[in-house]
Structures are given as C-alpha cells and as structure tokens.
C-alpha cells in the first residue's frame, strides 16, 4: 500500500525529508552497530500487568526474537501488505512484534489494551486483519478468550498468536535475507483516531511518515546517539510511536517501557534508567513542582528535556522546570494524521512563551532552527469563509501539508472517514483553532479544539459512539456525553441524559448498561447530569458547547 503520490514521493525525497530506509532496516543497522547494548527494558511492574517477570533485551536478543516472530508469520502465509493486528501492553515483546511485522512488509494495526470486543470486532473486520497477536491476559482481562470469541465473525482473521504461549521457531535467516527490499513509502501502520463518527478513523502512515515525525521529536528534545528514552504512553499512536519509539530508533539507544502511568514507578525509572528524554502530562509536571521534598531527593542529572502537551501548559510550570531544575519542557501539539507543531528551547528560548505558543513552521518570512521547519507548510483559515488569516488575534482553523502529513483515511468515504480531510491543495484540515500571536506575528497560539473529541488520560474518545450506546437504554429518551476538566487525566466523561417520562436513572444504571456492551472501561462516564432536553441546532445536531456550559465547564 503506497500511500503518497509519485509526485509527493519525488519532491519529499529530493528535499531530503524522505528516504529509502524502513523502520526495520534502521533497527537492524543499530543492532549490527551495538549488539550488546540494552535495546529495550520492560516496566518494573510488569508482573502486575501480564503476570510475567520484568526483563530487558540487548539489540542482539531483540533482533533474534523479532526474526523468530517474523519467521512464524511467514510460515502462516502472511506476506507484504497484509494487516497484522496487535494488542499488547508496553513490553519488550510488543517492540519485537512491530519489528518482525515490518521486516516482512506487514502493516501493523495496533489497539489499546483497554479495547474490548465492542471496539475490536467492527474495526478488525473493517481493516481486514489477517492475523492478530495478543496476550493471554492483561490486567486480569482474558484477551485470548476475547479474540477467540471474535474469530467466527471475522472471516479474514485466519491466525491468532498468544504472545506468552507461542513457541516461536528458529529464525530462518536465509529466508528473511532473501525477501525483497521493502519500500519506505509503503504503509507501516494503520492507527486509529476517534472522530465525531462512532467508528474510529484509520490513519495509514508509511515508514517515511514515521521517520520524519521521529526526527521532529528527537531534534526538539536534543537527543543524542545512545540516549535512553522512556515511553509512558500506549504504543498505539503518534504520542508513543512518533514521540518515543521512532526517536529511539533514530538514536540507537535504549527504549524504556512504562505501563500504565504510575507516578512512583515513573520516577523510579526516570532516575534509575538514566533517562535522557521522556514525555509526561502537564498535570503531572505541575504536581511534581509542588512536592519540593520529593524533587530534592531525585537525581535529574541525566535528563536532557521532557515533552508535554495535549493540554495548554502553565507558563509558571515551564519556567520553574527550566530555571530551577535546568530542564526545558518541549511543548508538543500533534496528531496521528501528522500535525506537527513543536516548541523546543532552540526555537523559543523563553519558557513562558514556549508554554503558550508554537512556531509558525513553513510560513514564508520566518526561519527556525528546528529541522522540521522546512518540511511542512501551515496556515490559518477563517472558520466560515475559508479565507486565509494573516493578522493576529483572529481565530482560524489550522491547515497543514508536507512530509509529516498522512495521505488520507483508510477507506475514506466508505465508512472510514471524510474524503475531504485533505483539500485539493494538499492541506490537512486539522479541526483545531489557533490564532497568530507574539512579536512580529511569529507564533501560533492554540485557542480550542474545533472537534468534540474527549481526551481522557491521553486516549481519544468519540462522544458519538457513547451517545449511541446510551440511546439504546429503555429508560433513556436522549443522551449525550461531553468531557469535563480533571487535574490528572485532563478530562473525564459526563453523561447528560433526558430520562423517559416517569423513569429514574442513576450513574450506576448508566455504567452497568455500558459494561454489558463490553466497551473499554475508560469510555464509561464518571458523572451523570439529568436534563429535560438536549440543546440542538436546527438540523437536530446536539450542541456540545452548550452541554459543557450546562454542567459548568
């Protein structure tokens, strides 16, 4: 599946933004250069996650394991362009499974471990996955049984591998070596991003797409060869793959896995593993600054920078980390589709400015130290007229095109998302509202999300999906969900429900109904508000902005 046009490939290759090396080839080069260096380390609490002891693999050991998995996948008849579904926690084996798939030209479609049969069944069928890799159990849930129960309804899914029960064959080195060279413009992944539709949208990205995203993060973070990078996010989307995994590949150091986010474990790994770069939610970085005794006990001497994003950063927080602890915070605004705004210390030295604004990458007249600056073009357009905005303090939608941007949603127009997400000029319409700001109009300042996605603990949640499930409750006349602010998770979910006349509803009723639908636990509302009617526009669409006002958000 070649994603870009021949013209795009030629232009981005000539400019040096895209190359010929795949993610697998980059790993193999690292393994050949430093075979005995630690490549990947498990979370120290792994036994609580999947019942197995925590460990670590050298590059030689990781290459061997990935080659054995690749041989097993070949033995089942899988080949170039086939889709492999993976649902595993952040472990060494997850990394090996990715590398194995890419080595033989498979497309990986990864899923959060919280997804259940409700989410998986539809998406696995839609993407046509021919095989899947999962674990026997993850945090007490029987994932093996769940996948086995789904197989009869998935005609394309012919192979299921249970990672902790599989007996991987010896690597067939000759067979692997004889494989045709993979094209770096082929799809490497199809990740999933929730939209206003009930079904998540599939976002195919090539090896080159991931390489340029990793370059942007590694450059802004100041990573150097051999650095240790800690990944605290599920390895299923841009935050983890582009923000941690690919920078690790590019620098050939150690990838330290963390799962799920646990502050004491996070800090233990940060210090004990001598981490050079990691990412953390804004609320965590803020909370740590208020624990002065704890901060005084921690050795941050190896840490070079910390990335954060997904919510506005407090200027005092960014300033305190930099001036008191010598650690610049990298402000990141990204998406699976390839939105790539990054405020690093090299581009915006002032920490308070860096917390609030992003460089106007790709706008004529502005030069930036960031390597990514020339790889993309950005502009703002009026939300109603579509005219380009060039003056400050006028909110507009961010449009972006270039080497980081995907080529369109999987099966767009066929249930897979809008076909017009990328316009005729090649600009991706992000749905995010910014305004021009700062001295000389050099910056973008985030205003709001135009879309209604709820972001809970870094996971995107489609309100429309939950609305539909709530509507099936006999006692519910109409219902909708919105996010409300939470200091740790960013947002939690509130259900606003109009009961059938004469009926009563409790939060437990809502939760039990959704649990019976077997959806991921993070999608279940944690607050209930009753209403006499839902605010709607003339076309009948629920006005979520008014819902948020109703609940005091």
């Amino acid at each position: 599946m070649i994603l870009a046009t021949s013209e795009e490939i030629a232009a981005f290759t000539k400019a040096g933004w895209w190359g010929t090396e795949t993610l697998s080839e980059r790993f193999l080069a690292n393994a050949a250069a430093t075979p005995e260096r630690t490549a990947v380390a498990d979370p120290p609490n792994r036994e609580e996650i999947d019942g197995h002891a925590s460990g670590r693999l050298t590059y030689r050991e990781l290459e061997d394991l990935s080659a054995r998995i690749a041989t097993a996948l070949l033995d089942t008849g899988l080949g170039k362009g086939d889709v492999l579904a993976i649902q595993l926690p952040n472990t060494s084996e997850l990394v090996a499974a990715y590398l194995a798939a890419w080595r033989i030209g498979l497309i990986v479609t990864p899923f959060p471990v919280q997804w259940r049969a409700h989410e998986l069944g539809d998406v696995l069928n839609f993407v046509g996955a021919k095989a899947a890799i999962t674990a026997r159990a993850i945090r007490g849930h029987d994932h093996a049984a769940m996948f086995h129960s789904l197989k009869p309804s998935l005609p394309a899914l012919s192979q299921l591998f249970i990672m902790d029960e599989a007996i991987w064959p010896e690597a067939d080195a000759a067979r692997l070596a004889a494989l045709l060279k993979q094209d770096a413009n082929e799809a490497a992944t199809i990740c999933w991003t929730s939209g206003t539709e009930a079904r998540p949208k599939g976002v195919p990205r090539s090896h080159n797409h991931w390489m340029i995203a990793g370059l942007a993060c590694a450059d802004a973070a100041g990573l150097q060869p051999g650095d240790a990078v800690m990944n605290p996010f599920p390895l299923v989307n841009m935050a983890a793959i582009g923000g941690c995994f690919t920078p690790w590949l590019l620098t050939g150091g150690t990838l330290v896995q963390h799962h799920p986010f646990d502050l004491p474990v996070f800090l233990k790994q940060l210090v004990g593993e001598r981490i050079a770069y990691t990412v953390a939610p804004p609320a965590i970085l803020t909370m740590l600054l208020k624990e002065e005794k704890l901060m005084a006990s921690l050795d941050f001497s190896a840490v070079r920078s910390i990335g954060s994003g997904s919510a506005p950063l407090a200027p005092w927080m960014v300033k305190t980390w930099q001036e008191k602890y010598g650690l610049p915070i990298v402000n990141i605004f990204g998406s699976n589709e390839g939105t790539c705004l990054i405020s690093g210390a090299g581009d915006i030295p002032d920490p308070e400015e860096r917390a609030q604004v992003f460089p106007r990458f790709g706008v004529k007249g502005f030069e930036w130290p960031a390597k990514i600056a020339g790889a993309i073009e950005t502009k703002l357009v009026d939300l109603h007229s579509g005219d380009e905005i060039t003056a400050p303090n006028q909110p507009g939608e961010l449009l972006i095109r270039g080497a980081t941007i995907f080529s369109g949603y999987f099966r767009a127009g066929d249930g897979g998302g809008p076909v017009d997400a990328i316009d005729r000029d090649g600009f991706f319409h992000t749905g995010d509202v910014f305004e021009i700001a700062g001295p000389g109009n050099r910056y973008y300042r985030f205003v709001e999300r135009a879309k209604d996605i709820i972001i809970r603990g870094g996971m995107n949640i489609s309100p429309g999906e939950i609305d539909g499930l709530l509507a099936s409750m006999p006692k519910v006349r109409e219902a909708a969900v919105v996010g409300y602010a939470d200091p740790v998770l960013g947002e939690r979910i509130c259900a606003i429900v109009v009961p059938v006349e004469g009926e009563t509803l409790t939060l437990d009723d809502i939760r039990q109904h959704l649990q019976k639908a077997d959806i991921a636990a993070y999608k279940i509302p944690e607050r209930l508000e009753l209403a006499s009617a839902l605010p709607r526009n003339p076309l009948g669409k629920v006005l979520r902005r008014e819902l948020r006002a109703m609940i005091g958000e």
Side-chain angles (χ1 to χ4, degrees), residues 22-44:
T22 66
L23 298 167
S24 174
E25 288 171 333
R26 167 45 45 195
F27 166 73
L28 291 174
N30 293 340
T34 57
E36 301 309 317
R37 173 181 286 164
T38 298
V40 60
D42 286 331

Side-chain angles (χ1 to χ4, degrees), residues 53 72 89 134 138 182 206-207 232 283 286 340 397 401 436 451 486:
T134 190
I138 304 172
Q182 308 301 328
S206 71
H207 296 264
T286 299
C340 199
E397 183 182 14
R401 69 179 176 187
I436 295 170
K451 302 171 185 176
D486 181 83

Side-chain angles (χ1 to χ4, degrees), residues 81-376:
D82 288 337
V83 176
L84 171 68
I86 298 180
Q87 190 182 41
L88 291 170
N90 283 358
T91 60
S92 302
E93 289 85 352
L94 173 58
V95 176
Y98 271 74
L99 296 170
W102 293 329
R103 187 164 183 175
I104 62 175
L106 302 185
I107 303 170
V108 172
T109 186
F111 301 112
V113 297
Q114 300 98 323
W115 277 29
R116 298 293 183 256
H118 172 80
E119 294 92 359
L120 287 168
D122 177 59
V123 173
L124 284 169
N125 186 56
F126 183 70
V127 79
K130 290 189 176 181
I133 298 178
T134 190
R136 163 56 60 191
I138 304 172
R139 297 187 71 82
H141 182 76
D142 194 333
H143 283 254
M146 178 176 66
F147 270 87
H148 279 298
S149 71
L150 286 170
K151 278 193 69 177
S153 62
L154 300 171
L157 190 68
S158 59
Q159 300 293 331
L160 176 61
F161 298 91
I162 309 303
M163 178 62 77
D164 38 0
E165 296 179 358
I167 300 175
W168 305 111
E170 289 299 314
D172 191 334
R175 192 177 176 192
L176 292 172
L179 291 173
L180 294 176
K181 175 178 169 56
Q182 308 301 328
D183 190 328
N185 297 302
E186 294 272 2
T189 59
I190 300 176
C191 298
W192 301 90
T193 182
S194 295
T196 53
E197 305 84 5
R199 174 187 287 147
K201 299 189 291 291
V203 181
R205 291 184 65 82
S206 71
H207 296 264
N208 272 325
H209 282 140
W210 284 121
M211 287 286 200
I212 191 70
L215 173 66
C217 288
D219 177 47
L223 285 176
Q224 298 177 7
D227 276 345
V229 176
M230 180 160 62
N231 169 42
F233 293 148
L235 198 59
V236 298
N237 55 27
M238 178 61 76
I241 302 175
C244 296
F245 182 89
T246 316
W248 161 70
L249 281 180
L250 291 173
T251 52
T254 300
L255 180 68
V256 177
Q257 295 276 54
H258 179 90
H259 181 110
F261 192 87
D262 181 292
L263 184 56
V265 176
F266 178 83
L267 293 175
K268 178 181 178 181
Q269 290 179 282
L270 186 70
V271 173
E273 298 282 358
R274 305 287 294 169
I275 300 299
Y277 177 71
T278 189
V279 288
I284 297 298
L285 295 176
T286 299
M287 182 179 67
L288 282 172
L289 292 179
K290 298 179 181 180
E291 300 289 340
E292 294 187 3
K293 290 185 179 179
L294 174 62
M295 292 291 286
S297 69
L298 299 173
D299 177 8
F300 290 111
S301 60
V303 185
R304 194 168 293 117
S305 60
I306 299 175
S308 194
S310 81
L313 305 185
W316 77 267
M317 180 270 284
V318 179
K319 180 180 180 180
T320 304
W321 272 101
Q322 181 162 319
E323 295 186 354
K324 188 172 182 177
Y325 298 100
L327 288 177
I329 303 299
V330 180
N331 193 359
I332 303 170
F333 190 95
S335 71
N336 281 332
E337 290 90 344
T339 305
C340 199
L341 297 183
I342 299 181
S343 290
D347 293 293
I348 306 181
D350 183 271
E352 293 182 293
E353 279 193 333
R354 196 184 326 125
Q356 297 181 301
V357 297
F358 297 90
R360 291 179 67 193
F361 289 153
V363 176
K364 290 182 179 179
F366 298 113
E367 299 294 330
W368 305 96
K371 293 179 180 178
I372 194 69
I376 57 176

